[in-house]
Amino acid sequence: MFVGALELDVLLGDVHSLKQKRSVVRPIVAELRRKFEVSVAEAGHLDLHRRALIGVAAVAADAEHVRDVMAACERLVAGRPELELLSARHRMVGPEDD
């Protein structure tokens, strides 16, 4: 079993309130869940209205599949015109990691 985790630190565009932030972040979280069947949540920068940390996790029997899914999630977020992807941090845990 392999577990992949991805942290996406994003800067939101023309957002001036936490309510506007939610209206931008929620559809992205929903699209990631729907398209890639991953666990995803807004996991950081909760009090900042122009920043968001989106956490993504996936589990599979094949490490390459997990890497492919995480890369596709990163590409989807990076391609969104309403935000700028500041950083993406990938982590993988496998059977040899105790």
Side-chain angles (χ1 to χ4, degrees), residues 78-94:
R80 298 295 290 243
E82 68 272 21
L83 58 83
E84 177 184 347
L85 180 60
L86 299 175
S87 68
R89 182 175 176 194
H90 296 255
R91 283 184 255 165
M92 177 77 74
V93 177

Side-chain angles (χ1 to χ4, degrees), residues 1 13-14 21-22 33 38-39 43 61-62 91-92:
M1 175 177 80
D14 190 28
K21 175 185 178 177
R22 282 192 307 274
R33 272 192 196 120
V38 294
S39 294
D62 178 23
R91 283 184 255 165
M92 177 77 74

